[in-house]
Amino acid sequence: MQVKHLAAALVAALPLFSSAQTAVTIYGVLDAGISSHDTGGPEGRQTALNSGEQTASRFGLRGSEDLGNGLKVIFNLEGNMGIDTGTTDSALFSRRSVVGLEGDFGSLTLGRDYSPIGIVSLASDVSGQGFYGTNLTAFSANRLTRRLANSVNYKSASWHGLNLLLAYGAGEGVTPATPNAPSGDTRAAGLEFRHDNLYLGAAFHAIRRVASDDDKESAAGAGYTFDSLHKLELKGSWMQADRVGFDKFRQLSVGGAMPFGVHKVYVNLQRFEQGDAAGNAWGLAYTYTMSKRTNLYATYGGVDNNSLGVFGIASSSNTVAPAATNRGADVSVVSLGIRHMF
């Protein structure tokens, strides 16, 4: 029903798009894969058709209006969609919904946007947070925060390769369920450095609690492309979540990728720790480029958990993990798919 309403609204608005000075782009990603996975449970290996194994399937609108003197209005509305079921999230634009200003000062946006840690983690994941083995495992429940709703977000203009990231997510006075629950107020900051083929980034979040210390989240990432080694890319990230009532979570990710004409190979390695639970994950992926906007892919990964671990492995939209009661179970998954961008 949401998609039908959206389509009707777009058709009605097309004449306005053509006559207004605002430039609007309709874009999206369609990604579907056939997956076989084993979570270490009694059901054994299962087969599924999944959406978003390389890149989350999405639909979006973005645009800008030139206000003169180097200032412009910018906006972006982007929502998830499932190729496997044809459904969308209950929130139509859950991925990103912002409007703001951009100029010599940088950009200032209001709405739901990527957090500083979300920005740093994406830039330091060799597969662009796609395929099994991505660092997105760190963003499951009670770990780190990838997006901030009700937020004000600032990204500075580049100064000798440096960019400052600042964000504030308002809890909007929501009464917590328990006296010690988070209020939702989030203060966040990050710093990025880009020079030629080098990337460095770090970010920190503090989430206010009512009757105790803040929840704290932190991340650091780096990447480098070696021109002399056939465009070999190496990237890595370290992320930590220290939340009240939970053991501290840590994740280390290191990966590499190399293109060979229309072929590209990816390798990702990870280490998870939370209290005495630990797990080691690995991911392999391959893409075959058919055109500028279409590619085929294969992704294969798994996790070896210790006797207390129930860690899983994530692709862009899906996570394969043992049941919470099945401690020590290992997981594996393989998927073959196609991605098209428009």
Side-chain angles (χ1 to χ4, degrees), residues 113-122 138-140 142-149 151-154 165-169 182 184-191 202-209 213-220 238-244:
D113 210 345
Y114 287 92
S115 68
I117 285 179
I119 293 171
V120 170
S121 68
L122 174 60
F139 296 99
S140 58
N142 299 311
R143 293 181 183 171
L144 291 97
T145 305
R146 191 180 178 204
R147 296 180 178 90
L148 293 173
S151 63
V152 180
N153 308 273
Y154 171 70
L165 307 172
L166 297 174
Y168 177 79
D185 290 344
T186 302
R187 293 94 68 200
L191 192 65
F204 177 80
H205 298 172
I207 305 172
R208 190 175 72 84
R209 284 183 175 264
D213 294 336
D214 291 343
D215 287 343
K216 300 176 180 67
E217 305 171 351
S218 50
W238 171 87
M239 289 186 272
Q240 177 176 288
D242 188 3
R243 291 182 172 270
V244 175

Side-chain angles (χ1 to χ4, degrees), residues 199-264:
Y199 173 83
L200 299 171
F204 177 80
H205 298 172
I207 305 172
R208 190 175 72 84
R209 284 183 175 264
V210 176
S212 66
D213 294 336
D214 291 343
D215 287 343
K216 300 176 180 67
E217 305 171 351
S218 50
Y224 192 81
T225 300
F226 296 85
D227 289 335
S228 59
L229 296 177
H230 208 278
K231 295 292 183 179
L232 170 66
E233 302 172 59
L234 294 179
K235 293 186 178 182
S237 64
W238 171 87
M239 289 186 272
Q240 177 176 288
D242 188 3
R243 291 182 172 270
V244 175
F246 296 90
D247 289 327
K248 189 177 294 185
F249 170 81
R250 299 182 181 90
Q251 176 179 296
L252 176 66
S253 302
V254 179
M258 182 175 285
F260 301 92
V262 296
H263 312 278
K264 193 169 185 177

Side-chain angles (χ1 to χ4, degrees), residues 58-105:
R58 67 195 66 176
F59 178 88
L61 304 168
R62 59 175 169 240
S64 63
E65 180 186 11
D66 190 347
L67 301 177
N69 298 318
L71 185 66
K72 61 182 179 180
V73 173
I74 56 173
F75 71 87
N76 189 190
L77 300 171
E78 185 175 287
N80 282 312
M81 58 187 298
I83 295 300
D84 51 344
T85 61
T87 59
T88 62
D89 290 344
S90 57
L92 185 56
F93 296 114
S94 60
R95 293 186 57 83
R96 194 171 190 238
S97 56
V98 297
V99 63
L101 297 172
E102 185 176 82
D104 294 339
F105 61 89

